[in-house]
Amino acid sequence: MKVKRISDKELSYVREVLSNSFRSSKGAEFMTRLEHQFCETFETNFSISHVNGTATMHSVLEAAGIGEGDEVIVPPLTMASTSLAVIHANATPIFADVERDTLVISANDIESKITSKTKAIITVSLYGLSPEMDAICSIAKKHNLIVIEDNAQSFLSYYKGKLLGNFGDAASYSFQSSKHISSGEGGMTTTNNEELAIKVRKVTGLGYAALGSKKAKITKADIQNPNYVRHDALGWNYRMPELCCAVALAQVERIEELVEIRKISASYYLEALEGCSWIIPQKVPEHCVSSYWAFACILDTDKVSWEDFYQAFIRNGGLPFYGAWKLTYQEPLFTNKIFGRRNDYIAIDYNDVTCPNAEYVQSRIIAMKTNYWDTDEARKQAKILRKTILEFEERF
């Protein structure tokens, strides 16, 4: 199977945008089409495009009125953007541990971290796998918390037969270059709550009064009137550029093939690991369907160091794979509290934070690429993985 990362459809849509010479009257045409298509594909009522997948989460937090003095529970094992969005909203990230086998945030640990200051939970569907959303949403309901799904790595992932993105109060997606669908940069917030959608739209669009849940742009007739009142809310300029919207639209229209080729790559890696007891793939429960943004495994570093395995794989012709991110609370930004004026109300000493499971798996994770647009290359990489495994087993 071969798939073009960028096809003639993307090129055609981009040419259409350029042919309009960026006239303001055409300024939200592809944005509107993209948002409509995203709603249809992800079975949601409202979609609001953003400049990136960090702004998406910040917008929801601002729209929900979360800020100074509030706490938001997040996982430490993921891209730091999840926690940075909380900092941007002037709130405090509180880290809940992950499950050691699935690598996703633990519902039990979430509940143990809830205080009177907790206002929200941001889940992360890591490497394409959903957390236990039923349990998390039940906890959130009991404590009157909002749930934001960070699905940057999970396009067309399923939990108990239901498309991910339809469990929390809102969901966030990223169109950054490594994601299942991409426009270089960009993102999307989805929700089924129209009041929240309107507020997110205004946060995204400079607080313009006339914006709505499905209205992305004010009209020229409005702004030509000297008596027109423009702003009735505080907002940022988080709107997604029309060129990026054009590319993202084409990618959403092609999403099935763009996701499927990653799942095929993952199936080859699973075959390569058969019988291997010292490299364990991320557990995918039977009630989940992963979209495999990457194929994550846990290496037994008592047998083989991460660096030794990496170098052996490369020597055998493998393409570089990734380790895990440094745990967010271990980054200097957090340990040294480089929060500027936010230090006045973020009272947590992150040097005292510990998430034992996350700390255990972080140095052991191997994240194999799945974004091979030709399955022959993915099969080749899986064979190299198998060869490398057998070489080490001969030494044990």
Side-chain angles (χ1 to χ4, degrees):
M1 179 180 179
K2 293 183 180 180
V3 170
K4 287 185 176 181
R5 181 53 159 158
I6 299 296
S7 72
D8 291 342
K9 177 174 282 192
E10 285 87 343
L11 296 173
S12 173
Y13 287 172
V14 166
R15 281 193 292 269
E16 192 174 335
V17 174
L18 294 174
S19 70
N20 291 326
S21 302
F22 298 110
R23 294 197 306 275
S24 59
S25 60
K26 293 284 187 177
E29 182 178 332
F30 274 92
M31 181 185 291
T32 301
R33 289 172 61 182
L34 168 62
E35 291 175 356
H36 174 79
Q37 185 64 48
F38 211 86
C39 284
E40 208 169 88
T41 302
F42 287 84
E43 301 172 4
T44 189
N45 291 337
F46 306 103
S47 295
I48 301 99
S49 52
H50 285 68
V51 70
N52 58 55
T54 306
T56 48
M57 292 180 282
H58 178 209
S59 290
V60 177
L61 293 168
E62 293 284 353
I66 293 170
E68 183 177 343
D70 297 332
E71 295 178 350
V72 179
I73 296 176
V74 296
L77 181 65
T78 186
M79 176 68 179
S81 295
T82 307
S83 300
L84 294 180
V86 178
I87 299 288
H88 296 333
N90 298 326
T92 301
I94 301 295
F95 293 96
D97 207 353
V98 301
E99 301 289 354
R100 192 175 288 197
D101 52 359
T102 63
L103 308 178
V104 294
I105 193 167
S106 162
N108 288 336
D109 207 47
I110 286 173
E111 189 150 35
S112 75
K113 299 296 170 63
I114 293 172
T115 72
S116 60
K117 297 179 181 179
T118 308
K119 294 296 186 292
I121 302 164
I122 303 181
T123 62
V124 175
S125 301
L126 201 67
Y127 300 120
L129 179 65
S130 172
E132 290 296 335
M133 294 307 300
D134 280 356
I136 292 169
C137 290
S138 176
I139 291 166
K141 184 177 181 181
K142 181 168 68 173
H143 295 277
N144 195 31
L145 309 176
I146 74 162
V147 175
I148 303 169
E149 298 178 47
D150 180 354
N151 294 338
Q153 300 176 14
S154 299
F155 288 77
L156 301 190
S157 295
Y158 287 82
Y159 175 78
K160 294 187 177 179
K162 187 175 177 181
L163 192 62
L164 211 58
N166 289 283
F167 293 90
D169 297 274
S172 164
Y173 298 86
S174 170
F175 304 150
Q176 180 265 345
S177 58
S178 72
K179 300 305 189 290
H180 291 81
I181 64 174
S182 178
S183 52
E185 280 292 353
M188 190 72 73
T189 294
T190 63
T191 182
N192 289 317
N193 182 321
E194 184 165 22
E195 181 181 355
L196 183 62
I198 293 169
K199 290 179 179 178
V200 169
R201 178 77 74 187
K202 291 191 176 187
V203 171
T204 304
L206 295 168
Y208 275 115
L211 296 179
S213 57
K214 293 183 179 291
K215 184 178 180 181
K217 193 173 185 295
I218 58 176
T219 68
K220 186 179 289 188
D222 286 332
I223 61 175
Q224 286 172 338
N225 188 323
N227 296 316
Y228 177 66
V229 176
R230 286 170 166 76
H231 309 281
D232 66 355
L234 177 63
W236 284 254
N237 190 1
Y238 279 168
R239 294 169 296 193
M240 189 172 171
E242 191 73 350
L243 279 171
C244 292
C245 288
V247 176
L249 172 61
Q251 295 260 294
V252 174
E253 291 175 348
R254 302 174 52 227
I255 192 168
E256 294 283 352
E257 62 178 3
L258 292 171
V259 170
E260 183 60 26
I261 200 162
R262 292 187 186 242
K263 293 166 75 172
I264 292 171
S265 295
S267 71
Y268 296 151
Y269 291 133
L270 281 169
E271 289 176 12
L273 288 180
E274 284 182 7
C276 179
S277 62
W278 48 280
I279 304 179
I280 307 301
Q282 179 186 30
K283 180 182 177 181
V284 178
E286 289 185 3
H287 55 269
C288 293
V289 175
S290 175
S291 57
Y292 286 106
W293 174 71
F295 182 80
C297 329
I298 301 172
L299 175 68
D300 183 347
T301 52
D302 291 334
K303 285 184 174 288
V304 182
S305 75
W306 192 97
E307 186 64 29
D308 284 349
F309 190 82
Y310 179 87
Q311 293 299 336
F313 183 74
I314 299 301
R315 281 197 304 273
N316 284 328
L319 295 175
F321 57 75
Y322 292 84
W325 312 262
K326 195 77 171 172
L327 297 184
T328 305
Y329 61 77
Q330 294 177 339
E331 294 284 1
L333 170 68
F334 285 82
T335 57
N336 298 332
K337 293 191 70 174
I338 310 172
F339 302 143
R341 289 171 294 175
R342 294 170 177 82
N343 285 338
D344 296 338
Y345 49 83
I346 297 181
I348 300 294
D349 184 349
Y350 288 101
N351 292 285
D352 295 335
V353 172
T354 182
C355 292
N357 288 341
E359 290 172 16
Y360 176 84
V361 299
Q362 187 272 335
S363 62
R364 294 168 169 81
I365 288 176
I366 292 172
M368 308 292 295
K369 292 172 57 178
T370 56
N371 56 334
Y372 296 110
W373 309 114
D374 184 339
T375 52
D376 287 344
E377 181 59 44
R379 187 181 286 109
K380 176 184 173 182
Q381 294 299 311
K383 287 179 179 178
I384 294 169
L385 175 61
R386 185 64 181 174
K387 178 182 178 182
T388 307
I389 289 169
L390 293 176
E391 283 181 2
F392 278 102
E393 289 187 343
E394 288 176 0
R395 306 179 198 175
F396 298 159

